[in-house]
Amino acid sequence: MRHTRKAFDGLFHKIQIGLLVFCLAGFGGLLFGGEAAWAEESAAESGFSDESEAAEDADTAEAVAAESDTETEAETSSGSSVTLPGDDGIYSILLIGSDRRDDSWNGNSDVMIVVTVNSNTKKIIMTSYMRDLYADIPEYGVHKLNYAYAAGGADKLIETLEDNYGIEIDNYAAVDFDSMAEIIDLIGGVDIEVTDDEVSVLNNYLSSEDKEYALENGGVYHLNGAQAVAYMRIRYVGNADYQRTQRQRDVLSEIFEQAKEMSAAELTELAQEVLELADHDISALDMISLISSLSGLTEYELVENRIPYDGLYTSQDEMLVPDFAATIEKLHEVLYE
Protein backbone atom coordinates (compact mmCIF):
# COMPACT_ATOMS: atom_id res chain seq x y z
CA MET A 1 0.00 0.00 0.00
CA ARG A 2 2.98 2.32 -0.49
CA HIS A 3 1.10 4.42 -3.07
CA THR A 4 3.66 7.21 -3.52
CA ARG A 5 6.83 5.23 -2.99
CA LYS A 6 8.79 6.58 -5.92
CA ALA A 7 9.73 10.22 -6.50
CA PHE A 8 8.07 11.78 -3.46
CA ASP A 9 9.51 9.45 -0.88
CA GLY A 10 12.58 11.68 -0.69
CA LEU A 11 10.65 14.66 0.62
CA PHE A 12 11.22 14.01 4.24
CA HIS A 13 14.89 13.44 3.64
CA LYS A 14 14.66 17.21 3.85
CA ILE A 15 11.82 17.90 6.22
CA GLN A 16 12.54 15.09 8.63
CA ILE A 17 12.20 14.68 11.92
CA GLY A 18 12.40 13.31 13.59
CA LEU A 19 10.87 13.64 14.77
CA LEU A 20 10.47 12.91 13.96
CA VAL A 21 11.65 14.20 13.36
CA PHE A 22 11.55 15.28 12.24
CA CYS A 23 11.43 18.72 11.17
CA LEU A 24 8.10 18.57 9.35
CA ALA A 25 7.51 20.84 6.41
CA GLY A 26 9.81 23.53 7.69
CA PHE A 27 12.48 21.99 5.55
CA GLY A 28 10.31 22.98 2.63
CA GLY A 29 12.58 25.99 2.37
CA LEU A 30 15.11 23.84 0.54
CA LEU A 31 14.68 25.68 -2.73
CA PHE A 32 18.06 26.17 -4.30
CA GLY A 33 20.00 25.66 -7.51
CA GLY A 34 22.54 22.96 -8.32
CA GLU A 35 20.46 19.80 -8.09
CA ALA A 36 23.13 17.81 -9.93
CA ALA A 37 25.80 18.94 -7.45
CA TRP A 38 23.59 17.83 -4.58
CA ALA A 39 23.11 14.44 -6.23
CA GLU A 40 26.86 13.98 -6.65
CA GLU A 41 27.41 14.87 -2.99
CA SER A 42 24.69 12.43 -1.89
CA ALA A 43 26.23 9.70 -4.01
CA ALA A 44 29.64 10.32 -2.46
CA GLU A 45 28.22 10.16 1.05
CA SER A 46 26.47 6.90 0.21
CA GLY A 47 29.87 5.25 -0.14
CA PHE A 48 30.44 5.14 -3.90
CA SER A 49 34.10 4.35 -4.52
CA ASP A 50 33.88 4.25 -8.29
CA GLU A 51 33.62 7.63 -9.99
CA SER A 52 31.64 6.24 -12.91
CA GLU A 53 29.01 4.86 -10.53
CA ALA A 54 28.74 8.22 -8.79
CA ALA A 55 28.37 10.03 -12.11
CA GLU A 56 25.76 7.55 -13.30
CA ASP A 57 23.84 8.01 -10.05
CA ALA A 58 23.90 11.79 -10.45
CA ASP A 59 22.55 11.39 -14.00
CA THR A 60 19.76 9.21 -12.65
CA ALA A 61 18.92 11.89 -10.11
CA GLU A 62 18.67 14.48 -12.88
CA ALA A 63 16.34 12.17 -14.79
CA VAL A 64 14.14 11.71 -11.73
CA ALA A 65 14.02 15.47 -11.29
CA ALA A 66 13.01 15.92 -14.93
CA GLU A 67 10.33 13.26 -14.67
CA SER A 68 8.84 14.97 -11.65
CA ASP A 69 7.76 17.82 -13.95
CA THR A 70 5.06 15.51 -15.33
CA GLU A 71 3.67 14.59 -11.92
CA THR A 72 0.72 16.19 -10.14
CA GLU A 73 1.31 19.85 -9.30
CA ALA A 74 -0.50 21.87 -6.63
CA GLU A 75 -0.03 25.62 -6.59
CA THR A 76 -0.22 27.59 -3.35
CA SER A 77 -2.06 30.87 -3.08
CA SER A 78 1.15 32.84 -3.63
CA GLY A 79 2.08 30.89 -6.74
CA SER A 80 4.70 28.50 -5.35
CA SER A 81 4.13 24.94 -6.51
CA VAL A 82 4.49 21.59 -4.80
CA THR A 83 5.08 18.58 -7.05
CA LEU A 84 3.60 15.31 -5.85
CA PRO A 85 3.73 11.94 -7.64
CA GLY A 86 0.74 9.86 -8.56
CA ASP A 87 -2.82 10.95 -9.14
CA ASP A 88 -3.89 11.71 -5.58
CA GLY A 89 -1.16 14.18 -4.56
CA ILE A 90 -0.83 12.72 -1.05
CA TYR A 91 2.28 11.56 0.80
CA SER A 92 2.60 10.19 4.35
CA ILE A 93 5.60 9.49 6.56
CA LEU A 94 5.49 7.76 9.94
CA LEU A 95 7.61 9.48 12.59
CA ILE A 96 8.62 7.12 15.39
CA GLY A 97 10.17 7.94 18.75
CA SER A 98 11.23 4.88 20.74
CA ASP A 99 12.38 4.37 24.31
CA ARG A 100 15.30 2.24 23.16
CA ARG A 101 18.48 2.82 25.18
CA ASP A 102 20.67 0.19 23.50
CA ASP A 103 20.80 -1.91 20.33
CA SER A 104 19.40 -5.09 21.87
CA TRP A 105 15.81 -4.41 20.67
CA ASN A 106 13.65 -1.90 18.80
CA GLY A 107 12.16 -0.36 21.93
CA ASN A 108 8.54 0.61 22.47
CA SER A 109 7.25 3.31 20.15
CA ASP A 110 6.11 5.99 22.58
CA VAL A 111 5.82 8.49 19.73
CA MET A 112 3.86 7.50 16.63
CA ILE A 113 2.92 10.44 14.42
CA VAL A 114 1.90 10.10 10.79
CA VAL A 115 2.62 13.30 8.87
CA THR A 116 0.41 13.52 5.78
CA VAL A 117 1.03 16.08 3.04
CA ASN A 118 -2.12 16.71 1.03
CA SER A 119 -1.61 18.96 -1.98
CA ASN A 120 -5.32 18.92 -2.75
CA THR A 121 -6.25 20.60 0.53
CA LYS A 122 -2.90 22.45 1.00
CA LYS A 123 -2.52 20.88 4.43
CA ILE A 124 0.12 19.03 6.43
CA ILE A 125 -1.65 16.87 9.01
CA MET A 126 0.13 15.51 12.10
CA THR A 127 -1.84 12.53 13.43
CA SER A 128 -0.73 11.11 16.78
CA TYR A 129 -1.57 7.46 17.46
CA MET A 130 -1.54 6.79 21.20
CA ARG A 131 0.62 3.98 22.50
CA ASP A 132 -2.22 2.23 24.37
CA LEU A 133 -4.50 1.90 21.36
CA TYR A 134 -6.07 -1.50 20.76
CA ALA A 135 -4.36 -2.99 17.72
CA ASP A 136 -4.77 -6.22 15.79
CA ILE A 137 -1.12 -6.73 14.85
CA PRO A 138 -0.60 -9.05 11.85
CA GLU A 139 0.99 -12.35 12.99
CA TYR A 140 0.95 -11.25 16.65
CA GLY A 141 -2.73 -10.77 17.47
CA VAL A 142 -4.26 -8.13 19.73
CA HIS A 143 -1.86 -5.93 21.72
CA LYS A 144 -1.32 -2.29 22.49
CA LEU A 145 -0.22 -0.44 19.37
CA ASN A 146 3.32 0.30 20.58
CA TYR A 147 4.01 -3.44 20.75
CA ALA A 148 4.01 -3.60 16.94
CA TYR A 149 7.26 -1.65 16.73
CA ALA A 150 8.86 -3.58 19.59
CA ALA A 151 7.97 -6.88 17.93
CA GLY A 152 8.64 -6.16 14.27
CA GLY A 153 10.14 -2.71 13.85
CA ALA A 154 8.88 0.06 11.58
CA ASP A 155 7.60 -2.27 8.86
CA LYS A 156 5.32 -4.10 11.28
CA LEU A 157 4.06 -0.83 12.78
CA ILE A 158 3.30 0.52 9.30
CA GLU A 159 1.49 -2.69 8.36
CA THR A 160 -0.55 -2.52 11.55
CA LEU A 161 -1.59 1.11 11.08
CA GLU A 162 -2.48 0.52 7.44
CA ASP A 163 -4.53 -2.59 8.23
CA ASN A 164 -6.33 -1.15 11.26
CA TYR A 165 -7.11 2.32 9.88
CA GLY A 166 -7.19 1.94 6.10
CA ILE A 167 -4.45 4.51 5.52
CA GLU A 168 -1.38 4.42 3.30
CA ILE A 169 2.12 5.20 4.63
CA ASP A 170 4.99 5.73 2.24
CA ASN A 171 8.05 5.99 4.49
CA TYR A 172 9.20 6.12 8.08
CA ALA A 173 11.85 7.87 10.17
CA ALA A 174 12.71 6.70 13.68
CA VAL A 175 14.75 8.15 16.53
CA ASP A 176 15.45 7.30 20.16
CA PHE A 177 15.84 9.65 23.13
CA ASP A 178 19.46 10.54 22.42
CA SER A 179 19.13 11.15 18.69
CA MET A 180 15.95 13.20 19.18
CA ALA A 181 17.77 15.44 21.65
CA GLU A 182 20.59 15.92 19.15
CA ILE A 183 18.13 16.82 16.39
CA ILE A 184 16.49 19.48 18.56
CA ASP A 185 19.91 20.90 19.42
CA LEU A 186 20.73 21.03 15.71
CA ILE A 187 17.57 23.03 15.03
CA GLY A 188 18.60 25.44 17.80
CA GLY A 189 16.10 24.48 20.52
CA VAL A 190 12.36 25.18 20.84
CA ASP A 191 10.25 27.72 22.73
CA ILE A 192 7.81 25.93 25.06
CA GLU A 193 5.66 27.05 27.99
CA VAL A 194 6.14 24.69 30.95
CA THR A 195 3.88 24.61 34.03
CA ASP A 196 5.11 24.27 37.62
CA ASP A 197 3.82 20.69 37.77
CA GLU A 198 5.57 19.82 34.51
CA VAL A 199 8.87 21.27 35.73
CA SER A 200 9.29 18.75 38.54
CA VAL A 201 8.65 15.79 36.24
CA LEU A 202 10.80 17.23 33.46
CA ASN A 203 13.72 17.63 35.86
CA ASN A 204 13.37 14.00 36.98
CA TYR A 205 13.67 12.82 33.37
CA LEU A 206 16.96 14.63 32.83
CA SER A 207 19.99 12.35 32.92
CA SER A 208 22.69 12.90 35.51
CA GLU A 209 24.89 14.74 33.02
CA ASP A 210 21.98 16.99 32.02
CA LYS A 211 20.94 17.99 35.55
CA GLU A 212 22.59 21.36 35.00
CA TYR A 213 19.67 22.15 32.68
CA ALA A 214 17.03 21.64 35.38
CA LEU A 215 14.31 24.32 35.44
CA GLU A 216 13.45 26.25 38.59
CA ASN A 217 9.76 26.92 38.00
CA GLY A 218 7.09 27.22 35.35
CA GLY A 219 7.34 29.70 32.50
CA VAL A 220 8.24 30.07 28.84
CA TYR A 221 11.66 28.57 28.10
CA HIS A 222 13.88 28.05 25.10
CA LEU A 223 14.45 24.33 25.67
CA ASN A 224 17.54 22.51 24.46
CA GLY A 225 17.42 18.93 23.20
CA ALA A 226 17.67 17.21 26.59
CA GLN A 227 15.01 19.48 28.10
CA ALA A 228 12.65 19.16 25.14
CA VAL A 229 12.85 15.34 25.11
CA ALA A 230 12.17 15.30 28.86
CA TYR A 231 9.17 17.55 28.24
CA MET A 232 7.86 15.24 25.50
CA ARG A 233 8.11 12.26 27.86
CA ILE A 234 5.88 13.75 30.58
CA ARG A 235 2.90 11.45 30.99
CA TYR A 236 1.53 11.83 34.52
CA VAL A 237 0.81 15.56 34.56
CA GLY A 238 -2.52 16.69 33.19
CA ASN A 239 -4.50 14.26 31.05
CA ALA A 240 -2.01 11.37 31.03
CA ASP A 241 -0.92 10.13 27.60
CA TYR A 242 -3.49 12.31 25.81
CA GLN A 243 -1.60 15.38 26.95
CA ARG A 244 1.75 13.77 26.30
CA THR A 245 0.88 13.39 22.62
CA GLN A 246 -0.07 17.07 22.64
CA ARG A 247 3.35 17.94 24.04
CA GLN A 248 4.95 15.92 21.27
CA ARG A 249 2.97 17.81 18.63
CA ASP A 250 3.82 21.12 20.32
CA VAL A 251 7.53 20.39 19.98
CA LEU A 252 7.15 19.36 16.33
CA SER A 253 5.17 22.52 15.60
CA GLU A 254 7.97 24.58 17.12
CA ILE A 255 10.53 22.72 15.02
CA PHE A 256 8.41 23.60 12.00
CA GLU A 257 8.50 27.30 12.93
CA GLN A 258 12.24 27.27 13.64
CA ALA A 259 13.04 25.62 10.32
CA LYS A 260 10.96 28.14 8.36
CA GLU A 261 13.33 30.89 9.51
CA MET A 262 16.44 29.13 8.19
CA SER A 263 18.14 29.88 4.92
CA ALA A 264 18.41 27.27 2.17
CA ALA A 265 22.09 26.74 2.97
CA GLU A 266 21.36 26.27 6.67
CA LEU A 267 18.55 23.83 5.93
CA THR A 268 20.70 21.83 3.55
CA GLU A 269 23.44 21.42 6.14
CA LEU A 270 20.89 20.63 8.85
CA ALA A 271 19.14 17.98 6.74
CA GLN A 272 22.41 16.16 6.14
CA GLU A 273 23.20 16.13 9.86
CA VAL A 274 19.69 15.03 10.82
CA LEU A 275 19.77 12.08 8.43
CA GLU A 276 22.79 10.67 10.20
CA LEU A 277 20.80 10.53 13.45
CA ALA A 278 17.64 8.82 12.20
CA ASP A 279 16.80 5.31 11.05
CA HIS A 280 14.71 5.58 7.87
CA ASP A 281 13.82 3.88 4.60
CA ILE A 282 14.15 6.90 2.29
CA SER A 283 16.34 6.71 -0.79
CA ALA A 284 18.94 9.46 -1.03
CA LEU A 285 18.33 10.08 -4.72
CA ASP A 286 14.56 10.25 -4.55
CA MET A 287 14.71 13.69 -2.94
CA ILE A 288 15.94 15.27 -6.15
CA SER A 289 12.60 15.37 -7.93
CA LEU A 290 11.10 17.73 -5.34
CA ILE A 291 13.97 20.05 -4.46
CA SER A 292 12.70 22.69 -6.87
CA SER A 293 9.22 22.81 -5.29
CA LEU A 294 9.73 22.16 -1.58
CA SER A 295 9.46 25.83 -0.61
CA GLY A 296 5.74 25.73 -1.37
CA LEU A 297 5.18 23.45 1.60
CA THR A 298 5.99 26.24 4.05
CA GLU A 299 2.74 27.88 2.97
CA TYR A 300 0.60 24.85 3.79
CA GLU A 301 -1.65 24.82 6.85
CA LEU A 302 -0.32 22.69 9.72
CA VAL A 303 -3.14 20.60 11.26
CA GLU A 304 -3.03 18.56 14.49
CA ASN A 305 -4.98 15.32 14.83
CA ARG A 306 -5.12 12.49 17.39
CA ILE A 307 -6.36 8.91 17.48
CA PRO A 308 -8.49 7.97 19.37
CA TYR A 309 -10.93 10.80 18.86
CA ASP A 310 -12.80 12.11 21.88
CA GLY A 311 -16.12 10.31 22.25
CA LEU A 312 -15.19 7.59 19.74
CA TYR A 313 -13.49 5.03 21.99
CA THR A 314 -13.86 2.98 25.16
CA SER A 315 -11.27 1.76 27.68
CA GLN A 316 -10.97 -2.01 28.06
CA ASP A 317 -8.21 -3.91 29.87
CA GLU A 318 -5.89 -0.87 29.84
CA MET A 319 -6.39 -0.49 26.09
CA LEU A 320 -8.10 2.33 24.23
CA VAL A 321 -10.56 0.66 21.87
CA PRO A 322 -11.74 2.96 19.06
CA ASP A 323 -15.09 2.78 17.38
CA PHE A 324 -13.24 1.74 14.25
CA ALA A 325 -15.97 2.45 11.71
CA ALA A 326 -16.60 5.99 12.97
CA THR A 327 -12.89 6.63 13.59
CA ILE A 328 -11.81 5.56 10.12
CA GLU A 329 -14.54 7.66 8.52
CA LYS A 330 -13.50 10.75 10.44
CA LEU A 331 -9.78 10.11 9.95
CA HIS A 332 -10.16 9.78 6.20
CA GLU A 333 -12.15 13.02 6.10
CA VAL A 334 -9.32 14.83 7.89
CA LEU A 335 -6.53 13.32 5.77
CA TYR A 336 -8.01 13.05 2.33
CA GLU A 337 -10.96 15.43 1.91
Side-chain angles (χ1 to χ4, degrees):
M1 298 177 69
R2 309 285 178 89
H3 69 297
T4 55
R5 172 66 64 183
K6 213 44 185 163
F8 197 67
D9 69 357
L11 169 61
F12 278 83
H13 243 236
K14 293 298 189 181
I15 66 178
Q16 212 258 345
I17 69 238
L19 263 137
L20 121 8
V21 131
F22 302 161
C23 300
L24 297 182
F27 285 3
L30 286 168
L31 179 61
F32 64 100
E35 288 89 344
W38 171 265
E40 290 170 357
E41 184 178 52
S42 296
E45 290 180 351
S46 298
F48 287 108
S49 58
D50 185 274
E51 292 183 1
S52 63
E53 281 188 345
E56 181 180 351
D57 211 56
D59 292 340
T60 300
E62 287 184 340
V64 172
E67 289 175 3
S68 71
D69 291 338
T70 65
E71 303 288 359
T72 303
E73 288 192 357
E75 292 204 355
T76 64
S77 58
S78 66
S80 298
S81 65
V82 173
T83 303
L84 303 179
D87 297 326
D88 55 4
I90 297 171
Y91 170 85
S92 291
I93 182 170
L94 171 61
L95 307 181
I96 305 166
S98 78
D99 62 1
R100 184 182 66 178
R101 293 171 176 82
D102 57 55
D103 295 330
S104 63
W105 69 313
N106 293 319
N108 291 304
S109 50
D110 287 341
V111 180
M112 295 170 285
I113 299 178
V114 176
V115 178
T116 301
V117 182
N118 188 328
S119 69
N120 305 310
T121 60
K122 312 295 191 298
K123 292 179 180 179
I124 299 172
I125 305 104
M126 293 189 297
T127 303
S128 295
Y129 290 82
M130 292 177 61
R131 54 173 286 168
D132 293 335
L133 277 167
Y134 171 106
D136 188 356
I137 303 172
E139 301 174 9
Y140 292 91
V142 173
H143 295 273
K144 292 182 179 181
L145 180 60
N146 67 343
Y147 180 76
Y149 184 70
D155 287 342
K156 183 57 64 177
L157 178 55
I158 288 174
E159 182 183 6
T160 301
L161 287 169
E162 290 182 333
D163 284 359
N164 282 247
Y165 294 96
I167 61 175
E168 297 182 358
I169 298 172
D170 301 288
N171 292 116
Y172 75 87
V175 295
D176 56 23
F177 291 156
D178 292 338
S179 53
M180 185 63 203
E182 291 184 62
I183 288 169
I184 292 172
D185 283 334
L186 287 173
I187 201 79
V190 291
D191 293 327
I192 296 290
E193 183 173 1
V194 186
T195 67
D196 289 333
D197 289 339
E198 289 172 333
V199 163
S200 60
V201 180
L202 183 155
N203 289 341
N204 287 335
Y205 279 138
L206 292 173
S207 63
S208 57
E209 58 266 31
D210 292 323
K211 288 299 183 184
E212 62 180 295
Y213 303 127
L215 307 179
E216 293 185 4
N217 46 49
V220 177
Y221 291 92
H222 190 73
L223 303 182
N224 64 20
Q227 293 167 325
V229 168
Y231 173 78
M232 295 169 73
R233 293 177 61 191
I234 297 172
R235 187 181 185 187
Y236 297 109
V237 175
N239 193 14
D241 203 38
Y242 302 94
Q243 196 159 339
R244 178 166 67 168
T245 63
Q246 182 62 60
R247 294 184 185 98
Q248 295 162 359
R249 293 191 299 275
D250 287 345
V251 170
L252 287 179
S253 295
E254 284 298 313
I255 291 175
F256 176 88
E257 294 302 321
Q258 291 283 84
K260 286 202 299 186
E261 300 301 318
M262 292 184 172
S263 68
E266 290 171 331
L267 286 168
T268 300
E269 181 179 357
L270 176 63
Q272 291 174 300
E273 294 175 320
V274 165
L275 287 173
E276 296 177 359
L277 298 172
D279 174 36
H280 59 84
D281 65 347
I282 308 169
S283 166
L285 290 179
D286 284 341
M287 75 177 75
I288 303 302
S289 63
L290 290 178
I291 284 179
S292 63
S293 59
L294 286 176
S295 60
L297 289 174
T298 62
E299 302 172 22
Y300 278 31
E301 177 186 358
L302 187 61
V303 177
E304 296 186 21
N305 197 31
R306 190 206 71 211
I307 304 297
Y309 291 115
D310 291 341
L312 292 182
Y313 73 95
T314 58
S315 296
Q316 301 176 18
D317 299 326
E318 299 184 348
M319 290 188 192
L320 306 175
V321 184
D323 177 337
F324 277 101
T327 296
I328 291 171
E329 180 179 2
K330 183 173 181 179
L331 176 62
H332 286 206
E333 288 176 357
V334 172
L335 297 182
Y336 307 129
E337 298 182 7

